[in-house]
């Protein structure tokens, strides 16, 4: 093991390489599922439930928080 393999203690920790990816994927899946459910329900001629707002809002919150966590702050 070389001396360059060890990380100095005064350096800040390295952030994970895929920060926020799980939240982004979960948000996209929730939003997509709600949109597909709305389109299928509208095509069939049914009534769209107001309870679809909750998964849509949750998916948008997950998507937004995942995208904001990927920003590099100075």
């Amino acid at each position: 093991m070389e001396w360059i393999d060890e990380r100095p203690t005064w350096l800040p920790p390295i952030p994970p390489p895929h920060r926020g990816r799980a939240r982004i994927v979960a948000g996209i899946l929730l939003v997509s599922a709600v949109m597909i459910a709305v389109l299928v329900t509208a095509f069939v001629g049914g009534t769209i439930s107001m309870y679809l707002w909750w998964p849509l809002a949750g998916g948008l919150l997950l998507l937004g928080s995942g995208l904001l966590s990927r920003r590099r702050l100075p």
Side-chain angles (χ1 to χ4, degrees), residues 6-74:
E6 296 179 14
R7 187 161 175 75
T9 56
W10 50 270
L11 282 176
I14 298 174
H18 305 297
R19 171 185 278 172
R21 180 178 285 182
R23 285 179 287 179
I24 292 171
V25 170
I28 288 175
L29 286 176
L30 270 173
V31 171
S32 299
V34 169
M35 291 301 160
I36 290 172
V38 166
L39 288 174
V40 168
T41 306
F43 180 75
V44 173
T47 304
I48 297 168
S49 173
M50 290 298 289
Y51 289 114
L52 285 176
W53 284 107
W54 292 111
L56 181 63
L60 289 174
L61 283 174
L62 281 172
L63 186 59
S65 69
L67 288 172
L68 285 175
S69 70
R70 292 179 71 91
R71 280 188 11 197
R72 289 205 176 261
L73 298 175

Side-chain angles (χ1 to χ4, degrees), residues 1-8 10:
M1 188 163 152
E2 298 286 325
W3 65 273
I4 56 172
D5 292 336
E6 296 179 14
R7 187 161 175 75
W10 50 270

